Amino acid sequence: MTAQAPLRKPLCFLTGSLTLAAVVTACVLMPVARAQVGPPDYSAIIAAPDRTDADLQTDKRRDPVKLLAFTAVRPGMKVLDMGAGGGYSTELMARAVVPTGVVYAQNPADLGERAKTRFEARLKTPAGKNIVSLARPFDDPVPSDLRDLDLITFLFFYHDTTYMAVDRAEMNRKLYAALKPGGTLVIADHSARPGDGVAVGKSLHRIEESALRREVEAAGFKLVAQGDFWRHPEEPRDFSIQPPSGKAVDEFVLKFQKPM
């Protein structure tokens, strides 16, 4: 007969001279492999049959699959959506973090009635069940006990804070504090001409990319990626994007990280 190798007992069963307490401690301290949660199928999120006709129309100019992939949003994340407005992007994030994640949607208390109505309607749908509304100022966007966020999105609203009564330096410091180390902040906005800085936020609804970057980096964030999927460098950047005219608009997307 072929000799069989002796069975190797796991540490948890090697009682011998070990005390029960030592065995329990050893078992608890044994490393356990944690499976990484991969990204969801972003295309399937966009194709969900219960999305509204209005959102499907917005998809045509937003190409949201590329945005979702750039943010790397995934199940289980804690996300803050700044300037959520009517909640188009908020809902996309909420669909991506299910079943255990949550999306906090910040809007100022004086949000316009049209956007407020659309947002409140989302909260009543199955897709909105993991959205938490935060009616708070931009420069005090989250409760003091809300920490360790995985991701913050700030889409096409940063420029509005340049003409509102907002302390943007304080806003960016609060966003930095709310993120966990290694967490990311994704900002998208309409691009202004070089030299325009923050001066055309109200007139053209744009902001100069380098000006926004300086403000955000002053809070401690580090730029780690740039998205070019909404860029139209050929457009003159000298007209207002409100109301939408159907013209191509140069838009930048920046990903910042809170250092580990």
Side-chain angles (χ1 to χ4, degrees), residues 76-136:
M77 276 189 166
K78 288 201 303 183
V79 180
L80 169 65
D81 188 27
M82 290 286 290
Y88 166 80
S89 298
T90 312
E91 182 179 310
L92 291 177
M93 295 293 161
R95 289 175 181 270
V97 302
V98 294
T100 59
V102 61
V103 179
Y104 299 92
Q106 180 271 342
N107 271 316
D110 60 352
L111 181 68
E113 283 303 316
R114 181 182 178 187
K116 184 177 180 180
T117 298
R118 291 171 58 196
F119 178 76
E120 290 178 347
R122 291 187 194 277
L123 297 180
K124 300 174 183 178
T125 67
K129 66 181 183 299
N130 59 333
I131 297 174
V132 177
S133 177
L134 298 176
R136 300 180 63 93

Side-chain angles (χ1 to χ4, degrees), residues 60-259:
K60 294 178 180 179
R61 57 186 175 85
R62 279 284 162 254
D63 201 359
V65 171
K66 293 178 181 178
L67 172 66
L68 291 173
F70 185 78
T71 66
V73 61
R74 61 192 62 210
M77 276 189 166
K78 288 201 303 183
V79 180
L80 169 65
D81 188 27
M82 290 286 290
Y88 166 80
S89 298
T90 312
E91 182 179 310
L92 291 177
M93 295 293 161
R95 289 175 181 270
V97 302
V98 294
T100 59
V102 61
V103 179
Y104 299 92
Q106 180 271 342
N107 271 316
D110 60 352
L111 181 68
E113 283 303 316
R114 181 182 178 187
K116 184 177 180 180
T117 298
R118 291 171 58 196
F119 178 76
E120 290 178 347
R122 291 187 194 277
L123 297 180
K124 300 174 183 178
T125 67
K129 66 181 183 299
N130 59 333
I131 297 174
V132 177
S133 177
L134 298 176
R136 300 180 63 93
F138 282 95
D139 45 17
D140 189 21
V142 297
S144 58
D145 60 347
L146 181 54
R147 289 288 184 272
D148 295 324
L149 296 171
D150 297 288
L151 169 67
I152 298 174
T153 53
F154 207 154
L155 307 177
F156 305 108
F157 218 125
Y158 193 103
H159 72 270
D160 290 296
T161 66
T162 65
Y163 60 86
M164 300 169 66
V166 174
D167 182 339
R168 297 194 304 284
E170 179 66 8
M171 174 182 72
N172 291 330
R173 285 192 293 267
K174 291 285 181 66
L175 296 180
Y176 187 90
L179 272 176
K180 71 178 186 182
T184 53
L185 164 66
V186 174
I187 303 181
D189 220 318
H190 315 291
S191 182
R193 295 166 296 190
D196 278 348
V198 300
V200 294
K202 189 172 185 178
S203 59
L204 302 183
H205 291 274
R206 298 173 181 262
I207 187 170
E208 186 178 352
E209 180 179 346
S210 60
L212 183 151
R213 179 175 170 179
R214 283 193 300 271
E215 292 188 357
V216 174
E217 290 179 330
F221 287 101
K222 304 300 180 184
L223 183 69
V224 294
Q226 302 181 57
D228 62 359
F229 43 89
W230 288 332
R231 303 249 41 165
H232 289 280
E234 74 285 355
E235 72 103 338
R237 292 172 282 176
D238 60 358
F239 61 89
S240 175
I241 63 94
Q242 291 293 348
S245 63
K247 298 179 181 178
V249 177
D250 186 46
E251 296 165 337
F252 58 87
V253 191
L254 305 176
K255 180 186 287 187
F256 299 91
Q257 186 175 52
K258 179 177 181 176

